[in-house]
Amino acid sequence: MANGGLQYNFARFSIAEKLIALNVLVFILDGLSLALFGNSISDWFQLPKDLMEFFGQPWSIVTYSFFHAGFGHIFWNMIMLYFAGRIFLNLFDNQRFINVYFLGVIVGGIIFLLSYNVFPTLLNTNTALIGASAGVTAVLIFVCAYLPNQEVRVIFFNVKLWYVGAFFVLVDLIQIQYGGNVGGRLAHLGGALLGYIYARQLLNGNDIGSGFTKFRDVIVQLFKPKEKKGPLKTVYKKNTSKSKGSTDYDKQAHQRKIDAILDKISKSGYESLSKAEKDFLFKAGKEN
């Protein structure tokens, strides 16, 4: 019963909340491994700065994002992911969220690898990259670039989203100069760049993540168990042209309503929506 309840509650989580739960679970397991066996399992999944080491564990371009250096590291990453994810998922579906998040992780990892193999002051540094910051930053900067004039509450003040995004990018740029976690800061900036470009291109009608969606579908199909074919049966097909046409019309009308709401947000901001429109967007995001 308890197990069924846990599965049911997890299934109700948004994709952002599922990522948070997964990150927390990995953090706990990694901590237990270090405490009980004296070894961290992150060595197999962190992103090394050496290219030859990376070629030996190419999966680390994604898996590094599930490991964190300490409680403060994961706490602030997950807090930012939760709030940025809520705004994002009120506008778009799970698939686009996955695209922005993991493309941010990948681009952040690539910037880290290139930087530590190009810039003279970083060449002899012995380091590796862990943390979800690049993906989190990609989601945050995406919403800041897509809805730059949307205001959010920060403690006692309302602040436009583009101010929030500019603040975090500026902090990373300043921190690089003082040598504080240079690799992590560079990965943040890589994620920020991806989030900004993705949002601006989407506003122009170009989804740069569509190829990544197809790539993920191919990977899923490779690991999807093949369905067993049962005995052949005679099936009497009813004339469903009318019902199919009705279904297609409903889908088109549903999408037109979503597009109209998104257009209203881009012109007047999220707060201009009525409660019914906000509820409709939220439900639409859950269904996808």
Side-chain angles (χ1 to χ4, degrees):
M1 178 71 71
N3 187 39
L6 185 63
Q7 291 179 354
Y8 174 74
N9 288 321
F10 183 77
R12 295 183 63 189
F13 282 178
S14 70
I15 185 63
E17 291 167 340
K18 288 177 180 177
L19 275 172
I20 291 170
L22 185 56
N23 273 276
V24 171
L25 178 61
V26 170
F27 180 74
I28 293 172
L29 292 176
D30 188 41
L32 288 174
S33 175
L34 186 60
L36 299 178
F37 302 104
N39 293 313
S40 171
I41 58 176
S42 65
D43 293 344
W44 294 95
F45 302 101
Q46 66 187 11
L47 182 62
K49 71 106 176 180
D50 184 83
L51 288 175
M52 294 309 296
E53 286 186 46
F54 166 67
F55 292 143
Q57 51 184 73
W59 56 83
S60 61
I61 196 68
V62 171
T63 57
Y64 81 85
S65 66
F66 292 100
F67 293 82
H68 291 82
F71 179 77
H73 191 197
I74 189 173
F75 177 79
W76 290 113
N77 271 345
M78 297 303 103
I79 287 291
M80 286 180 61
L81 181 59
Y82 177 76
F83 286 106
R86 284 186 64 184
I87 299 173
F88 190 107
L89 292 170
N90 273 330
L91 302 173
F92 300 105
D93 61 15
N94 292 342
Q95 296 303 317
R96 187 157 287 155
F97 180 90
I98 292 172
N99 285 349
V100 174
Y101 182 85
F102 282 107
L103 283 174
V105 166
I106 292 169
V107 171
I110 291 173
I111 295 294
F112 168 82
L113 279 171
L114 291 177
S115 299
Y116 276 84
N117 288 275
V118 171
F119 297 123
T121 57
L122 303 177
L123 289 176
N124 297 320
T125 306
N126 184 22
T127 187
L129 181 64
I130 56 173
S133 302
V136 173
T137 305
V139 174
L140 174 66
I141 299 301
F142 177 95
V143 297
C144 292
Y146 194 83
L147 299 171
N149 295 317
Q150 170 64 39
E151 292 187 350
V152 292
R153 191 76 171 176
V154 178
I155 307 178
F156 304 112
F157 306 98
N158 287 340
V159 181
K160 290 185 177 181
L161 274 174
W162 81 264
Y163 292 156
V164 176
F167 171 78
F168 281 102
V169 170
L170 187 61
V171 167
D172 285 324
L173 288 171
I174 293 173
Q175 288 294 322
I176 287 177
Q177 300 178 53
Y178 295 99
N181 185 23
V182 176
R185 301 296 175 183
L186 289 168
H188 296 181
L189 293 173
L193 179 64
L194 181 281
Y196 178 81
I197 293 174
Y198 202 129
R200 300 313 297 180
Q201 286 294 308
L202 197 60
L203 285 169
N204 292 328
N206 180 29
D207 184 359
I208 64 174
S210 58
F212 187 62
T213 301
K214 294 176 182 177
F215 172 76
R216 289 189 292 105
D217 289 341
V218 170
I219 298 299
V220 169
Q221 289 300 320
L222 288 176
F223 293 95
K224 189 176 181 180
K226 295 182 178 179
E227 296 182 0
K228 294 182 179 180
K229 293 183 178 180
L232 294 176
K233 295 181 180 179
T234 302
V235 177
Y236 297 94
K237 188 176 180 181
K238 295 181 180 180
N239 185 5
T240 59
S241 58
K242 185 176 180 181
S243 61
K244 182 179 179 180
S246 177
T247 301
D248 290 341
Y249 177 79
D250 290 341
K251 288 182 178 179
Q252 291 172 8
H254 185 78
Q255 187 59 49
R256 280 197 298 270
K257 187 172 181 180
I258 292 175
D259 292 341
I261 294 175
L262 293 179
D263 186 56
K264 184 177 179 181
I265 291 173
S266 66
K267 292 178 180 177
S268 308
Y270 181 74
E271 292 304 321
S272 67
L273 299 184
S274 65
K275 184 179 183 303
E277 289 172 328
K278 290 178 181 178
D279 291 342
F280 177 82
L281 263 187
F282 180 76
K283 291 177 181 178
K286 287 283 188 182
E287 290 170 0
N288 289 309

